[in-house]
Amino acid sequence: QFLLRFNAEGSAPAVGFEQFDAGRSSDVMAAFTTGWQEREENPETGVTWRWTSARSTLQILGGTRDGVLSLAGDSPLKYFDSAPEVTVLAGDRVLDTFRPDAAFSRAVVLPRDALIQAGGVVTITSSRTFSPSEHGSPDRRVLGLRLFTIDVR
């Protein structure tokens, strides 16, 4: 992902990279696209995480065989009174559905044919979301899953 900003004269833009991957065309690369919150970190522990929204997408490119999406997250029951239904899709094809009721780790197979058919777009949905503003915070983001690991191989 990158950000382009043109100055008032319309001359060459200043470019800032948020995410940059380089590798062989056979390497698998993934980019956060829509529905993701910015990465956060606890400076005391060094633990980092990223929140999903109700629908968060990844763009996955490269690879010559089936891949694996690894997800590890916080217990949704810290934020909801019941476990959400989480679905992972490649395009319209459901790859996995689960209801995490505790801290979780999940490996989802990404069939190469499904990725090709979906143009590399993988979507993670959560049936439950909340906004911290509902609990007195000025934070108005809509949050779904708190994920510590989002890895594609």
Side-chain angles (χ1 to χ4, degrees), residues 74-87 97-104 125-129 144-145:
D74 205 1
S75 172
L77 296 184
K78 288 183 178 180
Y79 313 100
F80 308 113
D81 58 4
S82 63
E85 180 175 271
V86 178
T87 304
T97 300
F98 59 102
R99 288 187 176 274
D101 59 2
F104 66 95
T125 67
S126 175
S127 65
R128 309 279 320 253
T129 60
L145 299 171

Side-chain angles (χ1 to χ4, degrees), residues 4 8 21 31 39 53 56-57 72 75 110 121 130 137:
L4 293 176
D21 294 319
R39 188 178 77 113
S53 61
S56 301
T57 59
S75 172
L110 303 172
V121 176
F130 76 100
S137 170

Side-chain angles (χ1 to χ4, degrees), residues 2 7 9 12 24 35-37 40 52 68 70-71 76 78-80 85 89-90 93 96 120 123-124 132 140 146 149:
F2 57 92
N7 64 27
E9 294 82 39
R24 299 179 305 255
W36 294 94
Q37 303 300 332
E40 297 179 56
T52 68
V68 175
S70 298
L71 302 171
K78 288 183 178 180
Y79 313 100
F80 308 113
E85 180 175 271
L89 305 108
R93 182 170 163 184
D96 195 13
T123 304
I124 301 167
R140 296 194 176 281
R146 184 178 182 214
T149 300

